[in-house]
Amino acid sequence: AKDYELRQYETAKWASTVIRGETQKEAMRQGFWKLFHYIQGKNEKEMKIDMTVPVTCLIKSGCTDFKISFFMPFEHQDSPPQPTDSDVFIEERKAAAIFVRSFGGFASPEKYAEEAEVLARILRNIGQPFHEEFFYTAGYDSPFKLFNRHNEVWYFKK
């Protein structure tokens, strides 16, 4: 469809942290830095890990906990170094079919919410079941990239 795509993601490991009781923007900032320190060597092997994309944020309706995650590079999928910060953990996300809506520009929490609502409306209109109680935001660009930015919202297919 022109407004979204359906992707099949394989099982994969992500470095994650949960930030509680902050705004989404502040949670993203805090979570990003916790995870960035992890890939810069704040782990049991004191290993530097390449930055990957996307950076995701789990948004649950009516919840002020935000889970921010970095995709683990393929060479670390089998045995990622354990974090030394107790707020950072390695999670394995199971394979899933995910509805994705892409958009450009600098993504604010409001813009992500707006795009998620557009995607949800499209899926409801075509009678496509999906998990409405949560969605992920996915950012692909450094804050220093000014043009041709790529952002996504993800809903999991039921």
Side-chain angles (χ1 to χ4, degrees):
K2 66 177 176 51
D3 295 326
Y4 70 92
E5 60 186 296
L6 177 59
R7 291 186 197 150
Q8 182 63 43
Y9 280 94
E10 297 309 312
T11 298
K13 292 191 176 85
W14 296 70
S16 299
T17 187
V18 175
I19 306 294
R20 293 184 168 82
E22 296 288 352
T23 64
Q24 183 181 338
K25 189 171 184 170
E26 179 58 21
M28 280 295 295
R29 190 188 69 74
Q30 286 183 25
F32 178 90
W33 285 110
K34 282 186 179 292
L35 297 170
F36 188 75
H37 293 308
Y38 164 74
I39 66 171
Q40 286 297 298
K42 198 172 180 185
N43 56 64
E44 284 181 350
K45 295 180 183 166
E46 295 182 357
M47 177 189 290
K48 274 192 186 254
I49 301 166
D50 289 337
M51 177 83 202
T52 60
V53 291
V55 175
T56 64
C57 179
L58 172 62
I59 312 286
K60 295 186 214 164
S61 41
C63 183
T64 58
D65 292 358
F66 299 97
K67 182 171 66 178
I68 295 86
S69 306
F70 285 6
F71 178 77
M72 289 305 301
F74 293 108
E75 64 267 25
H76 297 292
Q77 280 290 318
D78 289 339
S79 60
Q82 285 306 304
T84 52
D85 178 343
S86 61
D87 291 341
V88 176
F89 57 96
I90 304 299
E91 70 168 320
E92 184 171 273
R93 293 189 195 164
K94 298 293 176 216
I98 300 176
F99 295 106
V100 178
R101 181 170 169 82
S102 301
F103 60 99
F106 279 90
S108 63
E110 296 75 22
K111 181 67 174 162
Y112 277 125
E114 185 182 304
E115 293 293 337
E117 186 45 49
V118 169
L119 178 55
R121 195 175 320 123
I122 291 166
L123 296 173
R124 283 187 210 108
N125 286 345
I126 61 171
Q128 176 60 65
F130 64 101
H131 291 277
E132 297 191 43
E133 62 280 5
F134 69 92
F135 68 91
Y136 280 91
T137 67
Y140 287 81
D141 302 303
S142 139
F144 306 108
K145 182 174 180 183
L146 300 180
F147 302 104
N148 300 317
R149 295 179 62 80
H150 184 81
N151 313 288
E152 296 174 348
V153 289
W154 299 351
Y155 274 113
F156 283 55
K157 183 177 180 179
K158 273 193 176 168

